[in-house]
């Protein structure tokens, strides 16, 4: 089946630094990828839709200048948390459809746990 | 952002029991998906539903797309310890694969021996 992979799986950083998370589609090309955030014991909340070759679309309340998204190729989208603060600590998960299957099924990466000290 | 209402919020059952959970919305969805999430991992797709009234099985799991398009149900038969986890429903309003998914609030399942 389709595989989506994220890196790193966990990261700890100091407050004020920036952190980049990568999301790759391993066996298909994804023109669109989705970035979600999940706080402990809560559901997944969509942050933004990453579009290959164009600007990302951000959900209401998500700061585009803080969460920079780059979808430079059909297999890679990156999320950069800029000037991270403790309240940004969360589980970040990316996902993508396999357009070759056209089933609408969304496959998720393993997730990246960010802890900001 | 909007979330779908899932119930129950959590369940504690004994191994071998059947489990039922549901997901409801105030608006219509054209696709319903059910996911399972283990601690520290991303969600894994269990079942996808595309037509109102559709009933689909995947092993011991059975899910149904409600006739009103505003709800969906997931049943797990003869639960086993590895069923432990959080189950999420997710709905998509538009038929395009690039359209967004809205997630349910989750049902946390605990299975005791």
């Amino acid at each position: 089946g389709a595989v989506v992979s994220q890196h790193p799986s966990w990261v700890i950083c100091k407050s004020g630094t920036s952190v980049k998370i990568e999301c790759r589609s391993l066996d298909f090309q994804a023109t669109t990828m989705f970035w979600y955030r999940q706080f402990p014991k809560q559901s997944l909340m969509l942050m933004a839709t990453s579009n290959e070759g164009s600007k990302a679309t951000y959900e209401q309340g998500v700061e585009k200048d803080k969460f920079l998204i780059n979808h430079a190729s059909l297999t890679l989208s990156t999320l950069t948390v800029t000037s991270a603060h403790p309240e940004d600590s969360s589980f970040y998960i990316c996902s993508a459809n396999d357009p070759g299957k056209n089933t609408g099924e969304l496959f998720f990466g393993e997730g990246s746990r960010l802890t900001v000290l | 952002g909007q979330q779908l209402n899932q119930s129950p919020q959590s369940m504690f059952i004994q191994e071998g029991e059947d489990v039922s959970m549901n997901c409801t919305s105030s608006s219509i969805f054209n696709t319903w998906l059910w996911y399972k999430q283990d601690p520290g991992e991303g969600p894994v797709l269990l079942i996808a539903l595309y037509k109102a009234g559709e009933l689909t099985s995947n092993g011991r799991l059975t899910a149904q797309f409600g006739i009103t398009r505003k709800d969906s149900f997931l049943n797990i038969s003869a639960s086993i310890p590895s069923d432990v986890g959080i189950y999420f429903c997710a709905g998509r309003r538009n038929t395009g694969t690039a359209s967004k998914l809205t997630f349910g609030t989750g049902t946390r399942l605990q299975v005791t021996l």
Side-chain angles (χ1 to χ4, degrees):
Chain A
V3 177
V4 176
S5 181
Q6 279 181 246
H7 177 81
S9 55
W10 59 269
V11 56
I12 301 173
C13 70
K14 292 182 179 180
S15 185
T17 60
S18 295
V19 174
K20 180 185 286 187
I21 301 170
E22 295 184 346
C23 179
R24 295 181 185 274
S25 56
L26 298 185
D27 54 1
F28 64 95
Q29 293 182 329
T31 56
T32 303
M33 290 184 175
F34 303 91
W35 285 96
Y36 288 82
R37 179 167 52 182
Q38 185 179 31
F39 291 107
K41 297 188 178 181
Q42 294 189 22
S43 186
L44 286 76
M45 297 301 294
L46 180 65
M47 298 175 65
T49 302
S50 173
N51 304 299
E52 188 271 335
S54 64
K55 292 181 179 180
T57 305
Y58 290 82
E59 295 300 299
Q60 189 173 10
V62 179
E63 300 175 58
K64 62 179 181 180
D65 294 330
K66 180 167 185 63
F67 299 100
L68 300 179
I69 291 174
N70 187 309
H71 196 151
S73 77
L74 288 171
T75 59
L76 174 64
S77 175
T78 61
L79 168 68
T80 301
V81 183
T82 63
S83 186
H85 291 284
E87 57 266 29
D88 298 323
S89 299
S90 187
F91 195 51
Y92 293 87
I93 317 173
C94 70
S95 63
N97 294 113
D98 181 350
K101 295 184 177 179
N102 198 31
T103 58
E105 299 169 8
L106 200 60
F107 297 95
F108 285 85
E110 311 95 319
S112 299
R113 183 165 299 285
L114 170 63
T115 301
V116 184
L117 302 177
Chain B
Q2 180 189 4
Q3 286 187 323
L4 303 172
N5 295 315
Q6 245 180 282
S7 66
Q9 188 174 22
S10 62
M11 301 181 72
F12 292 83
I13 63 171
Q14 286 193 324
E15 184 179 9
E17 291 184 356
D18 297 341
V19 174
S20 292
M21 61 189 78
N22 67 74
C23 193
T24 59
S25 170
S26 58
S27 53
I28 290 174
F29 286 89
N30 288 312
T31 302
W32 285 94
L33 305 172
W34 283 91
Y35 289 88
K36 177 175 183 279
Q37 185 179 31
D38 291 327
E41 298 183 14
V44 174
L45 182 65
L46 299 174
I47 293 179
L49 303 161
Y50 302 103
K51 293 172 57 178
E54 179 181 356
L55 185 70
T56 299
S57 293
N58 178 8
R60 294 179 294 107
L61 279 62
T62 302
Q64 184 163 25
F65 191 144
I67 289 292
T68 65
R69 294 178 175 265
K70 294 182 178 181
D71 55 13
S72 180
F73 305 87
L74 175 69
N75 296 315
I76 305 173
S77 62
S79 59
I80 58 178
S82 60
D83 291 334
V84 167
I86 305 175
Y87 292 80
F88 290 103
C89 63
R92 174 182 284 121
R93 287 197 180 81
N94 301 318
T95 55
T97 56
S99 57
K100 300 181 292 188
L101 276 186
T102 300
F103 275 81
T105 47
T107 295
R108 186 179 298 271
L109 178 63
Q110 296 279 9
V111 179
T112 58
L113 298 176

